[in-house]
């Protein structure tokens, strides 16, 4: 894939209004779910991002027909007809490019009673096991649901029949919760997920499945009950919820540039973990029905604080890197405690190259406030790391080049256009070629 950089000249306060796109993590789960429908469906408010393009290609490789229509407001509408699916094997090379391809295990098990999947990819935060998914499928009667059965990087499950079960997740896992909901929607009998994840996109996937004809209750709480059905008729239109993480990234970009930005088309309660921390630090956050406005009183000091990531409704790990940038530009010492992923600080050496003063002790980053970031040549080590570097570059003195910007485009629709419309000086530049890309 062609490599390119973002060239950002910082120091311009972001001002104005920005519309948030549909949720990346919701639509990826929903696309997998749509492979189970016995009719057709239409998805609106789909973000036009590269992870979605990859997932659409994988679904097409199974035999699904997907038509893409550009919506006037910039997002995409997908018309999906999976009735031509003639395989249970998701072995397209795209599967190993994204994490969410693992939802096809649950979806294909539900649809075909069998599933073969190339091992999924995604951002590198250390170990990203799928043992909880496999353990749950085993309890539901799937044979082969064991790491020892991963031959040549491909796992094959076979359930004859797929049965409902009580699934206790000993770690709160977004992916395992969604995967079990998918398989259980068409399993024989009832499934209960105990200690389920509660993220907004869990609720969105459950709502979508219910619109297809599934019977799921309790999504958004820690106990989800699913009554298996034999058909999922479909033939409906569904609109994806707004992206909580994209919204939070623009809130932070506004704050670190001392700007004044209204972030539209969001669900403000999804932003509570971030909004409350930002208020505590000294920013003003005004909330409306579907927007938040972020700005600061120039007389008000911005103070550091302590943040710990946790499953929803805790502070989202996917906003951790951007929030560290926010903490860098505050007074005093702050503490970031990354409690979801074992290794999500690969971007910190890049921030240090821009002048950050951060020390890492295991999963805790101690952040000492600085006056400003310097420009530098840096690299987006993963999607949200890249978003954090964009925030830092927007606030920095001079011109920063962020290499491997394609990683940012995995999850941010039209980020260059949106930031430009807020007054940022950002453009796509040919790759600085400063780093060797080691991503598989
Ligand atoms: C999803 C999101 C990702 C986000 C994460 C946590 C998608 C496509 N990705 O990832 O952006 O950072 O939720 O909000 O939606 N775990 C196990 N065994 C398993 C599964 C998970 O030990 O089988 C552990 C993980 O190592 C991690 C924790 O559980 O420490 C949470 O992971 P999980 O919620 O499953 O993350 P993902 O679904 O992969």
């Amino acid at each position: 894939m062609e490599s390119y950089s973002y060239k950002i000249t910082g120091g311009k306060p972001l001002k104005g209004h920005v519309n948030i796109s549909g949720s990346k993590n919701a639509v990826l789960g929903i696309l997998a779910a749509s492979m189970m429908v016995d009719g057709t469906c239409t998805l609106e408010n789909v973000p036009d991002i590269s992870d979605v393009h990859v997932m659409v290609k994988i679904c097409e490789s199974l035999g699904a027909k997907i038509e893409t229509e550009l919506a006037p407001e910039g997002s995409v509408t997908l018309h999906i007809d999976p009735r031509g699916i003639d395989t249970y094997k998701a072995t397209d090379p795209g599967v190993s490019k994204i994490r969410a391809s693992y939802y096809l295990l649950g979806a294909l098990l539900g649809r075909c009673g069998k599933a073969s999947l190339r091992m999924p990819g995604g951002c590198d935060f250390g170990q990203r096991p799928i043992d909880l998914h496999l353990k749950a499928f085993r309890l539901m009667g799937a044979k082969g649901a064991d790491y020892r059965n991963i031959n040549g990087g491909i796992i094959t499950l076979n359930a004859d029949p797929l049965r409902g079960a009580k699934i206790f997740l000993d770690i709160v896992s977004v992916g395992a919760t969604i995967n079990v909901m998918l398989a259980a929607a068409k399993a024989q009998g009832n499934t209960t997920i105990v200690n389920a994840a509660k993220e907004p996109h869990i609720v969105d996937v459950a709502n979508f499945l219910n619109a297809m004809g599934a019977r799921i209750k309790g999504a958004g709480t820690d106990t989800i009950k699913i009554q298996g059905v034999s058909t999922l008729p479909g033939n409906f239109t569904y609109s994806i919820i707004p992206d909580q993480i994209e919204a939070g990234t623009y809130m932070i970009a506004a704050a670190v540039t001392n700007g004044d930005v209204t972030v539209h088309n969001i669900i403000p309660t999804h932003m509570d973990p971030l909004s409350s921390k930002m208020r505590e630090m000294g920013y003003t956050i005004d909330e409306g029905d579907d927007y938040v406005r972020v700005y600061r009183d120039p007389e008000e000091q911005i103070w550091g604080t302590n943040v710990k990531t946790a499953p929803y409704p805790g502070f989202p790990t996917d906003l951790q890197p951007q929030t560290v940038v926010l903490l860098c530009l505050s007074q005093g010492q702050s503490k970031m405690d990354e409690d979801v992923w074992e290794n999500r600080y690969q971007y910190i050496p890049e921030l240090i190259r821009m002048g950050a003063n951060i020390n890492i002790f295991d999963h805790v980053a101690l952040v000492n406030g600085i006056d400003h970031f310097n420009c530098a040549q840096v690299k987006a080590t993963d999607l949200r790391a890249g978003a954090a570097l964009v925030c830092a570059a927007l606030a920095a003195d001079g011109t920063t080049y962020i290499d491997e910007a394609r990683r940012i485009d995995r999850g941010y629709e039209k980020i260059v256009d949106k930031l430009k419309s807020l007054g940022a000086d950002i453009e796509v530049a040919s790759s600085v070629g400063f780093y060797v890309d080691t991503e598989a």
Side-chain angles (χ1 to χ4, degrees):
M1 192 187 293
E2 195 204 333
S3 194
Y4 52 91
S5 304
Y6 283 156
K7 178 184 171 196
I8 300 176
T9 303
K12 299 187 173 51
L14 298 188
K15 294 215 160 124
H17 300 261
V18 65
N19 274 329
I20 295 308
S21 305
S23 159
K24 166 178 105 59
N25 287 346
V27 75
L28 295 175
I30 285 173
L31 270 167
S34 74
M35 295 300 97
M36 295 167 70
V37 74
D38 295 304
T40 61
C41 62
T42 296
L43 287 185
E44 293 177 341
N45 201 34
V46 174
D48 193 3
I49 52 176
S50 59
D51 269 20
V52 168
H53 305 159
V54 173
M55 191 67 172
V56 164
K57 278 214 180 90
I58 298 169
C59 293
E60 286 173 336
S61 77
L62 298 172
K65 284 204 177 74
I66 302 183
E67 273 175 38
T68 303
E69 187 192 327
L70 282 180
E73 63 279 10
S75 63
V76 159
T77 298
L78 297 178
H79 301 283
I80 302 172
D81 181 353
R83 288 172 296 185
I85 291 181
D86 54 4
T87 179
Y88 62 91
K89 294 179 181 167
T91 49
D92 184 270
V95 170
S96 51
K97 287 192 183 153
I98 58 173
R99 186 77 188 154
S101 52
Y102 59 21
Y103 294 137
L104 289 167
L105 270 183
L108 289 170
L109 260 185
R111 185 181 182 99
C112 315
K114 290 182 189 175
S116 259
L117 188 85
R118 189 184 281 271
M119 285 310 283
C123 296
D124 175 13
F125 312 142
Q127 286 209 23
R128 295 188 74 172
I130 57 165
D131 57 308
L132 295 172
H133 307 229
L134 298 182
K135 208 157 53 177
F137 292 143
R138 215 154 49 222
L139 288 169
M140 296 176 78
K143 297 193 173 56
D146 191 308
Y147 267 112
R148 280 166 294 194
N149 283 67
I150 302 176
N151 292 320
I154 292 176
I155 184 153
T156 300
L157 312 181
N158 192 337
D160 186 19
L162 186 67
R163 291 184 304 268
K166 180 171 177 180
I167 311 290
F168 175 80
L169 297 178
D170 47 13
I171 299 174
V172 178
S173 160
V174 171
T177 302
I178 292 181
N179 237 338
V180 174
M181 283 199 310
L182 295 174
K186 281 198 85 176
Q188 290 180 9
N190 298 330
T191 297
T192 303
I193 310 175
V194 182
N195 202 26
K198 296 180 276 211
E199 268 66 5
H201 50 288
I202 305 268
V203 180
D204 212 33
V205 175
N207 286 344
F208 175 80
L209 283 164
N210 283 341
M212 270 165 73
R215 294 193 185 147
I216 303 177
K217 285 188 179 156
T221 74
D222 50 21
T223 304
I224 302 179
K225 295 193 172 189
I226 304 132
Q227 192 184 334
V229 295
S230 54
T231 52
L232 294 167
N235 305 323
F236 64 103
T237 297
Y238 190 85
S239 185
I240 307 292
I241 53 161
D243 197 298
Q244 177 203 26
I245 307 303
E246 188 198 16
T249 304
Y250 281 98
M251 288 171 70
I252 291 170
V256 293
T257 58
N258 292 322
D260 182 346
V261 173
T262 306
V263 181
H264 293 271
N265 185 32
I266 64 166
I267 299 172
T269 50
H270 292 171
M271 307 318 303
D272 282 348
L274 177 63
S275 302
S276 64
K277 278 292 161 193
M278 290 181 76
R279 287 192 181 108
E280 186 186 318
M281 293 176 76
Y283 292 103
T284 305
I285 315 284
D286 294 341
E287 255 177 49
D289 284 349
D290 66 350
Y291 68 85
V292 291
R293 178 181 165 205
V294 179
Y295 57 103
R296 73 178 274 198
D297 175 346
E299 305 298 313
E300 190 80 38
Q301 287 284 0
I302 298 299
W303 295 103
T305 184
N306 299 334
V307 181
K308 183 177 181 155
T309 65
Y312 191 82
F315 196 92
T317 171
D318 288 355
L319 283 175
Q320 179 259 99
Q322 305 89 312
T323 304
V324 165
V325 171
L326 188 68
L327 298 176
C328 283
L329 295 178
S330 66
Q331 303 272 325
Q333 190 176 68
S334 302
K335 188 166 90 171
M336 173 58 79
D337 187 345
E338 171 56 59
D339 231 27
V340 176
W341 295 113
E342 65 170 17
N343 185 12
R344 203 173 188 171
Y345 287 137
Q346 289 102 322
Y347 68 92
I348 283 190
E350 305 300 297
L351 273 190
I352 290 174
R353 294 160 62 78
M354 297 181 72
N357 180 349
I358 304 171
N359 295 299
I360 302 171
F361 300 93
D362 195 14
H363 49 85
V364 172
L366 288 183
V367 182
N368 295 301
I370 54 170
D371 283 346
H372 63 277
F373 286 107
N374 308 315
C375 56
Q377 288 183 340
V378 290
K379 172 184 173 183
T381 50
D382 63 64
L383 165 60
R384 306 303 172 187
L389 293 174
V390 168
C391 293
L394 290 167
D397 292 343
T399 301
T400 295
Y401 285 83
I402 305 175
D403 219 355
E404 298 303 336
R406 65 184 168 82
R407 290 191 173 130
I408 303 167
D409 292 346
R410 287 188 41 218
Y412 289 88
E413 182 177 77
K414 297 182 182 66
I415 187 169
V416 170
D417 293 347
K418 287 187 185 185
L419 285 172
K420 271 189 175 160
S421 78
L422 295 172
D425 185 345
I426 174 170
E427 57 188 79
V428 179
S430 44
S431 183
V432 175
F434 195 68
Y435 291 94
V436 178
D437 186 5
T438 53
E439 190 180 62

